[in-house]
Amino acid sequence: MAKAAISLLLLLLSFTSETLLMVNGQKTWCVAKPSSDQATLLANLNYACSHVDCQILRKGCPCSAPDNLMNHASIAMNQYYRAKGTNQWNCDFRGSALIVMTDPSYGDCIYA
């Protein structure tokens, strides 16, 4: 019985790499795929910022520069990922996002 329970637990944990990463204690971030086009980045930025606070992107704030869609979309997408739960499905954005294990923070812009 115990062996079956352990097997079931391992099976459930294998469904998402995110679950395994969190079990292993690794912190993850959600960023835009470098291959994303401008329209997709803008849609992701608008969607994420309609659900979470994107004040950090305002002019003069730590994450306002560089002022480009790739940067702003990645930050907004990560804010969404954090707020909604660091699950794989909260970092999909119709296939235009990546879950990374390297902290994308830079300068005074700290990805939560």
Side-chain angles (χ1 to χ4, degrees):
M1 182 68 174
K3 186 176 181 180
I6 290 173
S7 294
L8 179 60
L9 176 63
L10 290 174
L11 178 64
L12 290 172
L13 291 176
S14 68
F15 278 113
T16 67
S17 60
E18 177 60 16
T19 302
L20 288 174
L21 293 174
M22 296 313 294
V23 167
N24 290 329
Q26 295 292 318
K27 188 168 182 182
T28 57
W29 294 265
C30 178
V31 296
K33 281 185 179 176
S35 60
S36 298
D37 61 52
Q38 297 291 300
T40 299
L41 293 172
L42 183 58
N44 292 349
L45 176 63
N46 289 335
Y47 178 80
C49 290
S50 72
H51 293 278
V52 298
D53 181 11
C54 288
Q55 295 281 337
I56 195 166
L57 298 174
R58 294 180 78 178
K59 191 169 186 101
C61 291
C63 298
S64 64
D67 186 9
N68 63 60
L69 277 176
M70 180 62 71
N71 179 57
H72 287 195
S74 291
I75 292 164
M77 291 160 68
N78 189 66
Q79 294 286 90
Y80 179 90
Y81 177 64
R82 289 273 169 252
K84 300 300 181 183
T86 54
N87 300 299
Q88 184 177 0
W89 54 86
N90 291 325
C91 182
D92 182 59
F93 294 90
R94 297 185 179 193
S96 64
L98 296 170
I99 294 174
V100 298
M101 294 184 348
T102 302
D103 186 352
S105 299
Y106 58 91
D108 291 332
C109 180
I110 307 301
Y111 276 61

